Amino acid sequence: MRINDVTRDRYHSLAISSAWRLDTVRSLRVLVVGAGALGNEVAKNLAMMGVKLIVVLDRDTVEVANLTRSVFFRESDHGRPKAEVMAAQLRALNPDVEVLPLVGGVDEVLGLGLLRRADMVFSCLDNRLARRSVNRMCQKLGKPWVDGSMENLLGDVTVFMPDSGPCYECTLTRGERESIRQAILSCGVIARRNLNLNRVPTISTMGSIIGAMQVQEALRVVHGGEGEAELAKKIVVNCTINDFYITRAARRAECEGHFRYGEVTEVPEWGVESTSAADILERFRVDTGAVGHLRLGRDIVIGLRCEDCKTEEDVGEPLIMLTVERATCAKCGKVREPITEKVVRGDEPYATRPLGRLGIPPLDILEARGGDRKIWYEFTGDLRALPEALAPAGAAG
């Protein structure tokens, strides 16, 4: 008779648990947006459970000041990209888990095709502008996501489902929506600077509590445990008085965050470094017989104009990622005016440039419109450079 040694089975405790199904947990592909205190805790829990793939996205570098609340960082990591450091540590923690680091902002490096293949999204962010981007992306593709936030001994966790209950933008006050608008529009170039103004004091114990609750709420959703009554709730944790309570918000019918893509058309021969807007519009004409235009899904800076020097420079990056330093004229020191576009009609000089040069991330999905037709095209060829765990698309939008 063969006797199995359960002490050598990494997942034995999960296998015998009545709370979760091991096969469900092991098959999960998740996206963790933010690699700070919350991101460290969320990713740690997911890796220990042995999920299939963790995509870690963050635009910042490690600072020694992070070490009081970030379990995966070391003093020797100072100056290195957080996403890459955390990815290496996660692989060491559990070699069974595939990890993909993405270094950059949400609008800069996260293609919708990657999000489309995720089973769950975790927002571990510290600013409303990035949360709004996550919200709109998840709404487009019908993806659930779990948001966590904390400040000192206060924290909260909210599950956002795509088809019922409020979205993130539904929960914002008029003042909060206006502050986001100003962060994007003020001078056209200071959004990224404004992101850094919202940093708040964080404590390691709160990171552990809120991060664990985010993962637990997400697992309830993927196991079918999030009922209608739960959709509008925010779990608030006030550790100054050890109080847990729930607040609720209503779905706003007029909310700008509500928009859903239709069925996605995968195009294996397309990648953002080789495919132009003109290529897509020609494919749309062949597919529909209509002349169309391409919607880029974000405001793209295609150029910077210096009024004093009367010069222009070609650029390709999302507006909200444009820094003051990047926009400053090297000759006269004045901040140049960004030339932005969100639609390409095909006759522009940049219509034949590869879309990667316009700031479109790999594996993105773009919408072509013309007449009464819409088609959502995916740059599926970019999968070749990504982990194999992303290959099956799962739900098609």
Side-chain angles (χ1 to χ4, degrees):
M1 176 184 296
R2 181 177 179 181
I3 300 175
N4 293 322
D5 182 1
V6 298
T7 67
R8 304 292 297 177
D9 182 354
R10 180 189 286 265
Y11 307 107
H12 177 68
S13 62
L14 284 175
I16 64 175
S17 170
S18 60
W20 318 124
R21 295 187 301 272
L22 180 59
D23 59 341
T24 298
V25 173
R26 294 297 316 281
S27 67
L28 289 177
R29 295 175 292 189
V30 303
L31 169 63
V32 179
V33 186
L38 282 181
N40 269 243
E41 292 296 326
V42 166
K44 176 202 72 177
N45 291 329
L46 294 167
M48 288 193 298
M49 290 178 176
V51 300
K52 185 174 186 178
L53 171 71
I54 301 175
V55 180
V56 181
L57 187 157
D58 198 286
R59 62 186 176 86
D60 288 331
T61 57
V62 176
E63 300 172 356
V64 172
N66 303 143
L67 302 187
T68 59
R69 57 193 181 274
S70 301
V71 66
F72 288 124
F73 302 151
R74 304 291 181 265
E75 191 165 342
S76 59
D77 296 322
H78 183 86
R80 296 178 59 200
K82 286 183 177 179
E84 292 182 357
V85 172
M86 202 159 93
Q89 294 279 19
L90 288 170
R91 294 186 190 107
L93 179 64
N94 188 349
D96 293 343
V97 179
E98 270 197 278
V99 188
L100 172 64
L102 296 178
V103 179
V106 175
D107 292 88
E108 181 183 16
V109 298
L110 180 57
L112 288 175
L114 193 155
L115 179 63
R116 175 176 169 243
R117 289 163 170 78
D119 299 297
M120 180 59 66
V121 180
F122 295 88
S123 165
C124 303
L125 295 159
D126 61 359
N127 70 86
R128 296 188 186 102
L129 182 55
R131 284 190 178 94
R132 192 192 75 160
S133 292
V134 170
N135 181 68
R136 293 192 172 186
M137 289 180 174
C138 289
Q139 286 286 314
K140 286 177 179 178
L141 297 174
K143 291 294 178 182
W145 63 289
V146 184
D147 183 47
S149 68
M150 59 180 182
E151 180 176 357
N152 285 322
L153 291 176
L154 299 174
D156 58 71
V157 176
T158 310
V159 176
F160 293 104
M161 301 295 285
D163 294 316
S164 52
C167 78
Y168 171 71
E169 289 178 65
C170 291
T171 69
L172 297 175
T173 66
R174 181 178 300 178
E176 288 168 340
R177 292 196 297 273
E178 177 61 20
S179 70
I180 290 175
R181 191 182 74 86
Q182 289 298 325
I184 297 172
L185 297 178
S186 298
C187 300
V189 295
I190 63 171
R192 189 166 181 178
R193 173 177 288 178
N194 284 347
L195 296 183
N196 294 326
L197 298 179
N198 294 320
R199 290 184 174 178
V200 295
T202 53
I203 297 172
S204 60
T205 53
M206 288 303 296
S208 299
I209 293 168
I210 300 302
M213 290 181 66
Q214 282 185 266
V215 174
Q216 187 156 286
E217 287 296 286
L219 287 173
R220 291 203 317 122
V221 172
V222 299
H223 284 82
E226 191 72 10
E228 286 293 322
E230 308 296 321
L231 294 176
K233 76 175 184 181
K234 172 186 286 189
I235 305 172
V236 181
V237 183
N238 183 347
C239 286
T240 60
I241 55 175
N242 288 339
D243 186 25
F244 283 56
Y245 59 93
I246 291 173
T247 64
R248 299 184 186 274
R251 186 176 178 89
R252 294 193 300 115
E254 74 282 6
C255 178
E256 295 179 353
H258 301 166
F259 180 78
R260 180 66 53 81
Y261 280 3
E263 182 177 356
V264 174
T265 299
E266 298 182 357
V267 188
E269 62 269 29
W270 282 357
V272 295
E273 295 304 326
S274 59
T275 306
S276 68
D279 295 330
I280 298 176
L281 293 174
E282 175 58 21
R283 167 72 180 263
F284 181 79
R285 186 191 65 78
V286 171
D287 288 346
T288 67
V291 175
H293 62 272
L294 186 66
R295 300 169 70 88
L296 300 176
R298 51 182 65 76
D299 284 299
I300 296 293
V301 180
I302 59 170
L304 291 169
R305 179 188 297 118
C306 181
E307 297 295 344
D308 286 15
C309 297
K310 306 301 180 185
T311 58
E312 288 188 12
E313 178 189 356
D314 290 341
V315 179
E317 61 183 84
L319 175 62
I320 70 169
M321 302 310 302
L322 185 64
T323 63
V324 173
E325 291 75 20
R326 177 72 177 88
T328 299
C329 178
K331 291 183 178 180
C332 67
K334 299 289 181 65
V335 175
R336 296 174 289 181
E337 182 69 21
I339 306 167
T340 63
E341 189 55 85
K342 61 177 64 175
V343 172
V344 182
R345 303 190 180 278
D347 56 354
E348 301 89 346
Y350 48 85
T352 56
R353 295 181 198 165
L355 283 158
R357 288 181 54 195
L358 296 185
I360 302 302
L363 200 60
D364 205 11
I365 299 168
L366 297 182
E367 177 188 288
R369 289 188 183 187
D372 60 352
R373 296 290 303 277
K374 300 177 186 177
I375 299 181
W376 292 272
Y377 292 110
E378 179 187 86
F379 297 93
T380 316
D382 288 326
L383 275 176
R384 287 187 286 270
L386 295 173
E388 290 185 9
L390 286 168

